[in-house]
């Protein structure tokens, strides 16, 4: 079996953001030490022998850079012992602006990390505080400069829009400031109010109000126009890059390829099944140390599920899904399988066919979830 990528989850944060529903816990040195030991056991269960060759490694969170220097080195050594980092096409670490001191940047560079994803969100100190972020705008400048000076020039920054109190003009200023860095990659996501978050509790109480839907759509269209004008092309619903700097790891997901999911709450996709790991930290650590397999749930993936996922993952890409590749993978014509959904969505100007591809229209990108549900097949 060919596993294209590895996702490794580090669940620790210095502060919990008000919108975040990922598996995360306040950083504690002892808990982090125990977690790294459990993580090593899980990785070794997947890769007991020679180093695994994968195209991409992505270390996400939480905030992987929230751990101390010794723990970061331990994590990097662990990854290097189990994966052939030298053969990896892309090795990404997520980071919080402000976490990256000189020593952490040096360690990342030394152990082969070649891409950094910075959670910037907005260029406004007051709004950063309102959404629960601990960094300041000045930290973004300091950290980006530090990374580039160290030769880590493949930097991506995440932005958020449709935040409480955010106007179209406010988001435009954030886009303009972000573009001044002239980075190779930008990601931008609208606020989703998820259960078990601080924002969800406020929303239920009526104390949190998102901008109107038309403002949210205008923010998204503004983002597309501004980045396109700067030569940063949109290659996925929420992702933009200069040519050649598309996130190879995220393309693993959207191309429906296999990947390891390692760590508390991590999702993986292995031949014939999708896996979800145990989320609570003590339970994850206990099970990982006992068996090396801290899996909460395994879901079989048959032909039906593969074809569905091919469409609603692949359609996230601007280029869409290849009609010929679909037939090659599944030995079925796309129109034989989705002959009802595709014409209906084309009629609504949500989908288009061109040059052997089926892709979302600009309107379809805004209404993506409506499109994707049309590709769920009857049993």
């Amino acid at each position: 079996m060919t596993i294209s990528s590895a996702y490794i989850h580090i669940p620790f944060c210095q502060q919990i953001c008000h919108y975040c529903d990922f598996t995360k816990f306040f950083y504690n040195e002892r808990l982090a030490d125990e977690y790294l030991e459990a993580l090593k056991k899980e990785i070794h269960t997947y890769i007991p022998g020679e180093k695994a060759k994968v195209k991409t490694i992505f270390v996400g969170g939480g905030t992987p850079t929230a751990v101390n220097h010794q723990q970061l080195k331990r994590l990097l050594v662990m990854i290097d012992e189990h994966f052939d980092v030298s053969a990896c096409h892309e090795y990404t670490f997520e980071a919080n602006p402000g976490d990256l001191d000189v020593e952490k940047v040096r360690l990342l560079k030394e152990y082969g990390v070649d891409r950094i994803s910075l959670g910037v969100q907005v260029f406004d100190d007051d709004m950063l505080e309102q959404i629960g972020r601990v960094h300041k705008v000045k930290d973004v400048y300091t950290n980006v400069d530090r990374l580039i000076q160290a030769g880590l020039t493949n930097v991506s920054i995440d932005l958020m829009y449709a935040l409480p109190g955010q106007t179209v003009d406010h988001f435009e200023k954030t886009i303009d400031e972000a573009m001044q860095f002239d980075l190779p990659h930008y990601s931008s996501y609208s606020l989703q109010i998820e259960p078990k978050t601080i924002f969800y509790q406020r929303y239920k109480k009526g104390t949190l109000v998102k901008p109107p839907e038309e403002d949210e759509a205008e923010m998204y269209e503004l983002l597309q126009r501004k980045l396109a004008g700067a030569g940063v092309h949109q290659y996925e619903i929420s992702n933009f890059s200069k040519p050649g700097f598309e996130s190879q790891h995220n393309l693993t997901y959207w191309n429906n390829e296999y990947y390891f999911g390692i760590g508390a709450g991590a999702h993986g996709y292995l031949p014939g099944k999708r896996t979800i790991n145990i989320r609570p930290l003590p339970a994850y650590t206990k099970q990982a140390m006992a068996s090396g397999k801290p899996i909460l749930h395994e879901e079989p993936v048959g032909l039906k599920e593969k074809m569905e996922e091919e469409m609603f993952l692949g359609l996230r890409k601007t280029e869409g899904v290849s009609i010929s590749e679909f037939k090659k993978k599944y030995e079925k014509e796309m129109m034989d399988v989705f002959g009802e959904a595709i014409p209906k969505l084309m009629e609504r100007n949500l989908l288009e066919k061109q040059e052997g591809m089926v892709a979302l229209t600009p309107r379809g990108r805004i209404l993506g979830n409506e499109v994707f549900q049309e590709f769920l097949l009857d049993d």
Side-chain angles (χ1 to χ4, degrees):
M1 68 179 182
T2 303
I3 311 297
S4 298
S5 299
Y7 173 78
I8 298 168
H9 191 77
I10 306 300
F12 299 104
C13 294
Q14 296 292 350
Q15 183 166 318
I16 306 300
C17 300
H18 297 348
Y19 52 83
C20 179
D21 74 330
F22 295 130
T23 304
K24 73 278 180 190
F25 303 91
F26 283 111
Y27 172 72
N28 171 287
E29 189 173 325
R30 179 185 60 79
L31 287 178
D33 278 334
E34 291 172 358
Y35 181 78
L36 289 174
E37 199 60 37
L39 194 70
K40 185 172 184 176
K41 185 80 183 280
E42 185 187 2
I43 295 175
H44 187 72
T45 302
Y46 280 116
I47 306 153
E50 61 185 66
K51 293 182 179 185
K53 289 187 188 297
V54 290
K55 290 190 298 184
T56 70
I57 300 168
F58 193 104
V59 185
T63 313
T65 52
V67 298
N68 66 31
H69 296 120
Q70 292 79 11
Q71 289 165 340
L72 179 60
K73 183 172 181 178
R74 189 172 156 199
L75 172 61
L76 289 161
V77 168
M78 182 194 310
I79 292 168
D80 188 63
E81 286 173 347
H82 289 87
F83 295 95
D84 186 352
V85 171
S86 64
C88 195
H89 297 179
E90 181 187 274
Y91 184 2
T92 303
F93 253 71
E94 283 186 339
N96 185 54
D99 282 350
L100 292 172
D101 60 26
V102 171
E103 176 62 10
K104 285 183 180 177
V105 171
R106 186 192 68 76
L107 282 168
L108 293 169
K109 176 74 173 168
E110 181 184 339
Y111 282 91
V113 175
D114 59 10
R115 184 174 182 273
I116 301 294
S117 178
L118 277 181
V120 172
Q121 316 315 358
V122 288
F123 284 91
D124 180 309
D125 284 344
D126 289 338
M127 191 164 282
L128 285 168
E129 188 177 344
Q130 288 166 30
I131 64 177
R133 302 292 291 180
V134 291
H135 74 270
K136 303 288 186 190
V137 170
K138 65 179 174 59
D139 297 322
V140 181
Y141 285 84
T142 302
N143 277 194
V144 169
D145 184 58
R146 192 169 283 155
L147 288 165
I148 290 170
Q149 291 296 323
L152 281 164
T153 56
N154 191 358
V155 178
S156 172
I157 62 176
D158 287 352
L159 304 174
M160 290 186 75
Y161 60 96
L163 293 166
Q166 193 177 38
T167 63
V168 175
D169 286 346
H170 181 281
F171 185 55
E172 183 171 16
K173 286 174 185 167
T174 275
I175 299 169
D176 289 343
E177 193 157 353
M179 286 171 60
Q180 285 178 15
F181 287 91
D182 193 28
L183 295 173
H185 193 281
Y186 296 88
S187 299
S188 192
Y189 304 92
S190 67
L191 173 66
Q192 304 298 310
I193 299 173
E194 304 286 1
K196 299 182 182 175
T197 63
I198 292 169
F199 273 177
Y200 181 75
Q201 300 304 323
R202 291 180 185 171
Y203 182 72
K204 293 260 289 185
K205 290 176 187 172
T207 57
L208 181 143
V209 180
K210 281 186 69 175
E213 281 186 12
E214 55 269 26
D215 283 8
E216 183 175 337
E218 193 176 338
M219 290 179 198
Y220 182 56
E221 287 163 359
L222 182 68
L223 175 79
Q224 292 174 307
R225 282 199 311 275
K226 290 230 166 201
L227 287 171
V232 184
H233 77 282
Q234 182 172 18
Y235 69 98
E236 190 268 346
I237 286 177
S238 303
N239 285 270
F240 307 77
S241 78
K242 292 181 180 178
F245 288 93
E246 298 83 358
S247 168
Q248 296 306 306
H249 184 82
N250 285 343
L251 284 166
T252 296
Y253 302 149
W254 304 320
N255 289 332
N256 209 18
E257 297 170 355
Y258 299 129
Y259 58 93
F260 296 111
I262 297 163
H267 291 229
Y269 181 31
L270 304 175
K273 63 186 177 184
R274 289 195 179 270
T275 61
I276 302 173
N277 274 358
I278 296 166
R279 282 177 68 117
L281 203 54
Y284 166 83
T285 302
K286 183 179 178 183
Q287 188 59 37
M289 291 305 295
S291 69
K293 293 184 177 179
I295 293 172
L296 173 68
H297 180 65
E298 282 188 3
E299 186 178 333
V301 178
L303 180 61
K304 168 184 170 290
E305 290 80 17
K306 283 184 182 178
M307 292 189 297
E308 290 172 341
E309 290 168 357
E310 187 77 18
M311 298 308 291
F312 53 67
L313 291 170
L315 283 171
R316 292 190 62 91
K317 297 179 295 179
T318 304
E319 69 175 15
V321 181
S322 164
I323 295 168
S324 62
E325 278 298 310
F326 185 94
K327 185 177 182 181
K328 194 166 147 189
K329 267 188 174 182
Y330 306 112
E331 298 181 345
K332 290 178 182 289
E333 295 287 352
M334 188 187 288
M335 287 304 294
D336 289 346
V337 182
F338 299 110
E340 277 188 42
I342 292 171
K344 185 164 75 172
L345 291 164
M346 288 177 69
E347 199 173 304
R348 292 178 59 198
N349 190 31
L350 298 174
L351 215 57
E352 61 187 357
K353 266 195 209 176
Q354 52 184 359
E355 297 177 7
M357 307 291 285
V358 173
L360 294 176
T361 62
R363 183 166 178 264
R365 285 179 214 152
I366 294 171
L367 301 172
N369 288 337
E370 280 188 37
V371 176
F372 303 149
Q373 69 186 18
E374 293 293 331
F375 288 96
L376 292 171
L377 296 166
D378 294 332
D379 291 328

